[in-house]
Amino acid sequence: MTALPRGETPGSPAADDDGVVATPSAAVPAPSAGDGNGDDSGNGEEPGGGEGSGDGSGDGSGDPAETAPAALSEAEAELAAQRELRERIEKRKAEKEGPIAAGGKLSGRAADLLAAVRAVESGEQPATSFFDSPSPAAPRRTAPTPAPARPRAPEPARTPQGAPPEAVAATAAVLAEGGAPAALAGPAAETLGAQAADVLRADPWQLLTVPGVRPEQADGFARALLGAECGPDDERRTAALVGWLLERAALRGHTALDASEVRAALAERSVTDPDAAVQHAVAEGVVLVFQDGQEDQGDQDGQESGLSAEPGDDTGPDAGREPVQVLLGLDRYALAEESLADGLARLVNACEKDADWTQAASAAGSPSAAELIRAVAAHGLVAHTGGEAARAEPAALITAARGLGLRALGAVHSADGRRRLAEATGDPETAVTLAGLLSGEQGPGRDEEGAIAVDLLVVLDAPQLDVETAAILVESLADGTRLVLSGDPGVLGSAGAGRVFADVLAARACPQIVSRTPDPGPIGELVSGIGIGELNQVDAPGKEVVIVPVRDAGEAVHRTVQLVADSVPRAIGVPSSDTQVVTVGHGGSAGTRALNAALKQRLNPGPGRFAGFDPGDRVVHVPAPGRAVPAVVVSADAEGLRLDCAGTEVVVAQERVASCVRHGWALSAHQAAGMRWPAVVVVLPGDAAQGLSRSWVYTAFSRGERHLSVVHGVDQALQHAVAQSPAQDRTTRLRTLLETAAR
């Protein structure tokens, strides 16, 4: 049964003054959203992984504090740092020799092809993704000294360099020949480089590498350029489709896909021989192939023969053996997962095992905190799980470690999380956002060897860690550094590809400390039940949890505006500025777009003179994929749109406003992950039923600190979503790599 405060019933016009449920009134038509139910992403329009629709760009996703420099420079600085660290990862992998065990990396012909591709990319083409290093990286220190390192000022962010005008013009000419929009010329030139026009003319399906382009559009462009030479089985087309399918899968959180899924998707797009198409894509280096589940037989053709092996095939020399799962993946995610697995193993093995933290554990405020401190004293890597109240335990760990003279730091997903962690430790210097730490804008900086100058790093909100960020982070930690991954395993996953925290837990790669500290109050009781698949009634004497039944999406929008603007401020005492709306997707008649339009009209009406925004508008800023930062519009001038991001001024350049800023009275659950508000209104219109899952409900319902209103129009779908056992929603290789490393 749907969770209700005892004493209330659905449909009851509970007192509008004393409670939160307003008296039913005529439904107000929702503003037109112009599309379907849409995705649940954190930035852009593509899904990015998570339950159901995912959260690609910020499926996800929401994030860190902003700094005084323009947001564009911050994003570019972060990306530049990531490129530099990926260079180190690539060099480290390229130096490894010999065949690699099954369940790890490539062997045979595929490995030779990958080595050839990497050699070409690093030696003959302009440096874009790979660079030559002048000398091997310096060996890591084995025992970091407790003396604090001198903070290193962040390097100036590189100014983004667009494609040369002549390259854009040449690309536009080719696009015009093929009937493609001229607006794609700039993105195509940036994606494909200065020779984009020649590349597109030789291989029109390379247009699929441009964000937002779909196969149907690329096919039409190719037909216009190639005429009779164009066919569905053109190897250029099939290779581009395989790469596109893997890129789309990454937006849903996958780092790899089963080869059978790729073949099926190719067949749906009129490819007559999907198996040959996949083998060609592997041979061309578009994707990598992995076989997990059997030891390498040393057969040079084993990788390719596995591509056509179907589950249940009982013929051939391997008859009777357990079927081998054949996975296809992109190089960038394969490198990240392998580097992360190696890095975590390094931290486990390099830790000082005989540290005595007995006194610090004895002084801990709770048994769970004491258990966590003892585990960290003896291990280089520890996983910690628990709800919102359990965040006090890593805070106690940080305080205890600093009391021992260690450089201890906590990294969180968002500026709001940073504020809450600083309050828990009582020291603002102990809390940073993960993006700020990696970019060098926050935290102690790096030592002379390039490692982050910490002895203990606690990463809270660990489920929001994507595999590439996690790999960069671990590569940045010196030998002997202790790492704690802490988070609530029930919430939605990262905006980017991977399921790092879930894979570490599943692989049992380190000690796991499960908090015994429950979340308090009616909201905590409700959310705890959801975590085990039960939607229970809860006592809510102070109207902490209220259900608002609605009949359709129009009424859902009307009731949501009424709650935020009137009922919650009057009955609960939480102002509209501290009340956050959370809904399933961006599109639809009650998605974030429709709700934001209605809430702006009521709370901050205006002409939208700054590219659709007015001073005082609540917005969400997306400075980089997967990061969603709540902000308020201050003003606009020739430099761009000025935002107040948790007290930090950020200027978004005019040309980036449309893609990086959107109204933020209503967010998706992926965007809201890692943040909390005094009051939250969760909107569940009837057309949102298919987007619900246990993790989505768990995440959305747990965002409120004092009050939760549920605008409920999905009937029994809510209970069914909670009761359904969560399945692994992302295909990754990290768990296998960690288990292999532990053998």
Side-chain angles (χ1 to χ4, degrees):
M1 137 173 220
T2 302
L4 292 169
R6 290 178 183 152
E8 293 186 29
T9 58
S12 171
D16 189 33
D17 292 331
D18 299 332
V20 178
V21 182
T23 303
S25 59
V28 177
S32 174
D35 55 8
N37 193 32
D39 60 87
D40 191 9
S41 63
N43 73 304
E45 303 304 320
E46 298 292 349
E51 295 294 329
S53 58
D55 171 40
S57 49
D59 259 13
S61 289
D63 248 43
E66 302 301 320
T67 54
L72 178 60
S73 296
E74 176 193 352
E76 289 298 324
E78 180 178 345
L79 292 175
Q82 292 181 3
R83 283 195 296 269
E84 179 183 355
L85 287 167
R86 284 201 190 102
E87 169 199 345
R88 295 169 56 193
I89 295 171
E90 166 62 13
K91 183 170 181 63
R92 182 179 177 186
K93 297 301 173 187
E95 290 173 349
K96 293 189 176 181
E97 299 179 353
I100 302 164
K105 309 166 203 168
L106 296 176
S107 66
R109 180 179 175 186
D112 295 337
L113 288 167
L114 175 57
V117 170
R118 287 175 175 169
V120 170
E121 290 179 329
S122 62
E124 298 180 11
Q125 296 182 0
T128 55
S129 299
F130 303 93
F131 303 87
D132 291 326
S133 298
S135 60
R140 294 185 180 274
R141 58 193 175 114
T142 58
T145 59
R150 291 175 296 183
R152 186 178 67 180
E155 297 178 1
R158 299 179 183 176
T159 303
Q161 300 294 329
E166 56 274 14
V168 175
T171 304
V174 176
L175 292 174
E177 290 181 38
L184 292 176
E190 291 179 5
T191 301
L192 299 173
Q195 304 301 317
D198 295 335
V199 171
L200 290 174
R201 194 177 296 280
D203 183 357
W205 286 283
Q206 287 298 307
L207 191 64
L208 270 179
T209 62
V210 179
V213 175
R214 297 187 58 81
E216 296 80 5
Q217 297 167 314
D219 286 341
F221 176 66
R223 281 193 297 269
L225 285 184
L226 301 179
E229 299 179 14
C230 177
D233 291 318
D234 189 305
E235 289 186 340
R236 294 169 294 183
R237 177 179 188 263
T238 59
L241 281 175
V242 171
W244 180 81
L245 289 170
L246 269 294
E247 291 285 1
R248 292 281 297 182
L251 292 175
R252 301 191 303 275
H254 304 285
T255 61
L257 279 183
D258 193 289
S260 61
E261 294 183 40
V262 177
R263 290 196 297 268
L266 290 173
E268 292 176 357
R269 297 192 176 275
S270 305
V271 176
T272 58
D273 191 349
D275 187 68
V278 170
Q279 293 194 30
H280 172 70
V282 173
E284 290 295 312
V286 175
V287 294
L288 307 181
V289 58
F290 309 95
Q291 291 185 4
D292 295 332
Q294 98 175 8
E295 290 300 322
D296 218 332
Q297 300 301 307
D299 183 0
Q300 292 295 323
D301 297 324
Q303 297 284 354
E304 294 185 29
S305 63
L307 289 172
S308 58
E310 296 289 348
D313 184 4
D314 56 359
T315 62
D318 293 332
R321 300 185 63 175
E322 185 176 345
V324 177
Q325 184 182 28
V326 180
L327 298 177
L328 301 176
L330 298 173
D331 180 87
R332 57 184 286 196
Y333 300 117
L335 288 174
E337 287 186 309
E338 291 162 4
S339 174
L340 178 57
D342 289 347
L344 292 176
R346 173 176 59 82
L347 294 181
V348 169
N349 296 327
C351 171
E352 178 189 359
K353 302 296 193 300
D354 57 353
D356 184 7
W357 294 11
T358 305
Q359 186 174 356
S362 301
S366 69
S368 293
E371 184 180 5
L372 177 61
I373 293 172
R374 286 192 293 268
V376 173
H379 300 88
L381 176 66
V382 174
H384 171 261
T385 62
E388 184 63 28
R391 294 171 73 96
E393 294 156 18
L397 168 64
I398 294 171
T399 301
R402 292 174 76 89
L404 294 171
L406 299 177
R407 299 168 297 176
L409 192 66
V412 294
H413 183 60
S414 66
D416 174 68
R418 183 187 184 191
R419 173 188 59 79
R420 287 182 284 131
L421 177 59
E423 291 176 353
T425 61
D427 184 357
E429 297 298 322
T430 61
V432 296
T433 62
L434 190 57
L437 177 66
L438 291 176
S439 67
E441 295 169 354
Q442 298 172 15
R446 297 178 183 256
D447 61 22
E448 64 280 359
E449 295 175 0
I452 297 174
V454 293
D455 302 311
L456 167 64
L457 179 64
V458 181
V459 179
L460 287 83
D461 308 314
Q464 272 68 63
L465 263 181
D466 65 271
V467 68
E468 290 186 297
T469 302
I472 292 169
L473 176 66
V474 172
E475 277 286 318
S476 301
L477 298 179
D479 292 349
T481 302
R482 287 173 164 82
L483 174 64
V484 177
L485 300 177
S486 175
D488 190 337
V491 302
L492 290 167
S494 63
R499 53 193 305 268
V500 174
F501 192 51
D503 283 340
V504 169
L505 295 176
R508 300 191 175 277
C510 62
Q512 300 179 17
I513 307 302
V514 180
S515 173
R516 297 186 296 276
T517 305
D519 288 338
I523 297 178
E525 181 183 351
L526 175 62
V527 171
S528 296
I530 293 172
I532 59 173
E534 298 176 359
L535 194 60
N536 301 318
Q537 284 186 324
V538 294
D539 286 321
K543 304 295 182 183
E544 294 89 349
V545 180
V546 172
I547 306 299
V548 183
V550 294
R551 295 180 297 273
D552 53 41
E555 186 180 4
V557 174
H558 172 72
R559 286 297 189 92
T560 300
V561 174
Q562 186 181 52
L563 285 164
V564 175
D566 296 325
S567 300
V568 171
R570 182 170 59 254
I572 307 300
V574 177
S576 299
S577 58
D578 290 336
T579 301
Q580 182 62 54
V581 176
V582 178
T583 190
V584 176
H586 295 305
S589 53
T592 62
R593 298 186 187 95
L595 288 166
N596 276 319
L599 288 164
K600 173 175 172 54
Q601 183 179 9
R602 176 64 182 274
L603 298 174
N604 195 44
R609 60 184 182 275
F610 302 145
F613 302 99
D614 295 294
D617 278 357
R618 281 177 64 177
V619 297
V620 58
H621 175 221
V622 183
R627 296 178 54 198
V629 184
V632 176
V633 175
V634 177
S635 63
D637 52 33
E639 295 183 10
L641 191 66
R642 296 187 178 274
L643 307 178
D644 178 4
C645 298
T648 300
E649 184 183 70
V650 172
V651 181
V652 182
Q654 294 182 19
E655 63 272 14
R656 292 180 57 85
V657 170
S659 61
C660 295
V661 183
R662 61 183 58 178
H663 285 106
W665 286 281
L667 301 175
S668 69
H670 288 86
Q671 291 175 318
M675 295 180 282
R676 299 192 88 204
W677 293 266
V680 166
V681 177
V682 177
V683 184
L684 304 175
D687 59 359
Q690 62 182 359
L692 296 179
S693 65
R694 183 188 297 179
S695 59
W696 192 97
V697 177
Y698 186 96
T699 303
F701 282 25
S702 60
R703 298 307 93 195
E705 296 175 338
R706 293 171 48 191
H707 175 77
L708 168 67
S709 281
V710 181
V711 179
H712 191 344
V714 291
D715 297 326
Q716 296 301 312
L718 177 60
Q719 185 173 358
H720 292 161
V722 171
Q724 185 176 6
S725 297
Q728 178 175 332
D729 59 325
R730 303 184 183 196
T731 302
T732 65
R733 298 178 53 246
L734 180 59
R735 176 180 178 178
T736 300
L737 293 169
L738 291 172
E739 290 174 341
T740 301
R743 292 173 188 168

